[in-house]
């Protein structure tokens, strides 16, 4: 390791270990983008105020025990624009996103709540279409929407329709589970092509002079997770669904949670040609583009073949791939082996390369 590289790594380490704080006096869109600004906001404001072990784990769903029952609980808000896009809409996005947060936490999704913030003047036909989509997605995922709330705000104070969902699931596997368990030698799997959702929504806005046959990958991952866990069992260290911030953000979360390095092979990362072409035209790295029906799994090497076969046997995972491995040093970094034989750091973004997409 050269002296220059050592100095760079030392600076990164000092920065990451410094106490998180929000430098801005007012929030910007970057604070909701899932990158460094979001991380600082969460750690400096929310974790400081709400400090508790369940929240501090920063998993997709909180692992809880109540009355002897092993539960998982999660919540998320959806503010996508446009509300309807090829492959889905804000309704099935809200259901699938919450279901997936439970599923990748190793839980069986059971019940959801749904809160609606609606703008005065919003069309009843559009609301009916969204709710029908949610109902269909819930049936497909095997969950029930059992509670909710509705608020209508004056015209101009919302963007048509916002949805907040929360979900409860049962943790059926009596073992420790999570990406913090990643260890050197483990392999990194992704369940299919990345970036479909984010690029689809961006093109669907019509703000760009782009024509591409793109479709969101929004889907419930429960069945795929079941098959993966049945095939690889305890060999699955942990999973995450690659939504806001994309696969790159998830891998940084893995590296940080486990104190390891994740090394990714750029040539092994599956990206559809249409997504790759649109991303290249816009100067966007697909690794940072949101998915809504893809998971990242950290798997012990001796179970990797079984895990990959199980993913590929499922319709949602037929293009699954091993995209990298876990190493020991340098800790808490994600490195990309490029197609040209070089290596670069894949860091959390400061802002957001895309407008709001989930």
């Amino acid at each position: 390791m050269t002296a220059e590289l050592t100095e760079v790594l030392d600076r990164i380490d000092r920065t990451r270990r410094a106490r998180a704080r929000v430098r801005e006096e007012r929030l910007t869109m970057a604070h909701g983008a899932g990158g460094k600004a979001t991380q600082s906001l969460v750690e400096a404001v929310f974790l400081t105020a709400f400090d508790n072990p369940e929240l501090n784990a920063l998993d997709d769903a909180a692992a809880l025990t109540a009355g002897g029952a092993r539960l998982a609980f999660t919540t998320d808000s959806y503010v996508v624009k446009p509300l309807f896009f090829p492959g889905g809409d804000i309704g099935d996005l809200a259901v699938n996103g919450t279901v997936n947060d439970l599923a990748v936490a190793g839980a069986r999704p059971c019940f959801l709540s749904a809160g609606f913030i609606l703008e005065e003047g919003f069309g009843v036909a559009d609301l009916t279409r969204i709710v029908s989509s949610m109902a269909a997605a819930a049936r497909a995922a095997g969950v029930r929407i059992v509670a909710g709330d509705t608020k209508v705000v004056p015209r101009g104070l919302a963007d048509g329709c916002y949805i907040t969902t929360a979900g409860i699931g049962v943790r059926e596997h009596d073992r420790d589970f999570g990406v913090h368990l990643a260890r050197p030698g483990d392999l990194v799997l992704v369940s299919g092509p990345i970036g479909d959702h984010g690029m689809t929504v961006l093109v669907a806005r019509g703000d760009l002079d782009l024509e591409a046959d793109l479709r969101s990958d929004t889907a419930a991952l429960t069945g795929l997770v079941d098959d993966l866990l049945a095939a690889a069992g305890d060999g699955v260290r942990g999973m995450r669904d690659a939504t806001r911030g994309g696969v790159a953000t998830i891998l940084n979360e893995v590296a940080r949670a486990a104190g390891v390095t994740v090394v990714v092979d750029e040539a092994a990362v599956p990206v559809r040609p249409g997504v790759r072409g649109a991303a290249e035209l816009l100067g966007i790295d697909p690794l940072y583009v949101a998915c809504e029906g893809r998971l990242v799994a950290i798997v012990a090497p001796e179970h990797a073949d079984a895990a990959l076969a199980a993913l590929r046997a499922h319709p949602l995972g037929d293009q699954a791939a091993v995209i990298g491995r876990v190493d020991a040093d340098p800790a808490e970094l994600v490195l990309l082996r490029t197609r040209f034989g070089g290596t670069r750091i894949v860091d959390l973004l400061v802002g957001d390369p895309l407008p709001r997409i989930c």
Side-chain angles (χ1 to χ4, degrees), residues 3 28 106 158 206 228 236 241 283 319 341:
T28 69
L228 174 60
V236 181
D241 62 329
Q319 297 184 58

Side-chain angles (χ1 to χ4, degrees), residues 23 46 53 58 209 213 291 305:
R23 300 178 183 276
F46 298 115
L58 293 177
D209 187 19
D213 185 17
C291 312
D305 288 343

Side-chain angles (χ1 to χ4, degrees), residues 264-356:
V264 180
D265 179 4
E266 184 179 32
V269 179
V271 184
R272 298 189 197 279
V275 171
R276 186 182 301 280
E280 288 178 353
L281 285 172
L282 298 171
I284 297 171
D285 187 340
L287 282 170
Y288 291 98
V289 181
C291 312
E292 288 293 346
R294 300 284 182 254
L295 64 81
V296 175
I298 309 300
V299 181
E302 63 271 22
H303 294 274
D305 288 343
L308 185 62
L311 290 175
R312 288 180 173 174
H314 193 282
L316 294 178
D318 59 345
Q319 297 184 58
V322 176
I323 64 169
R325 69 179 189 276
V326 177
D327 281 348
D329 295 309
E332 299 188 17
L333 282 182
V334 178
L335 302 177
L336 183 74
R337 305 296 190 198
T338 71
R339 297 174 183 273
F340 307 104
T343 301
R344 67 176 175 88
I345 294 175
V346 179
D347 203 359
L348 289 173
L349 292 179
V350 175
D352 192 352
L354 297 172
R356 193 176 66 204

Side-chain angles (χ1 to χ4, degrees), residues 5 45 121 131 188 235 245 251 259 309 327 337:
L5 179 57
V45 177
V131 171
V188 181
L251 296 181
D327 281 348
R337 305 296 190 198

Side-chain angles (χ1 to χ4, degrees), residues 88 97 108-109 138 148 154 179 191 217 221 273 330:
R108 172 75 50 195
V179 298
S191 63
D217 58 354
L221 295 173

Side-chain angles (χ1 to χ4, degrees), residues 217-238:
D217 58 354
T218 176
L221 295 173
T222 311
L224 184 67
V225 170
D226 286 345
D227 291 354
L228 174 60
L229 294 178
D234 291 346
V236 181
R237 311 284 194 207

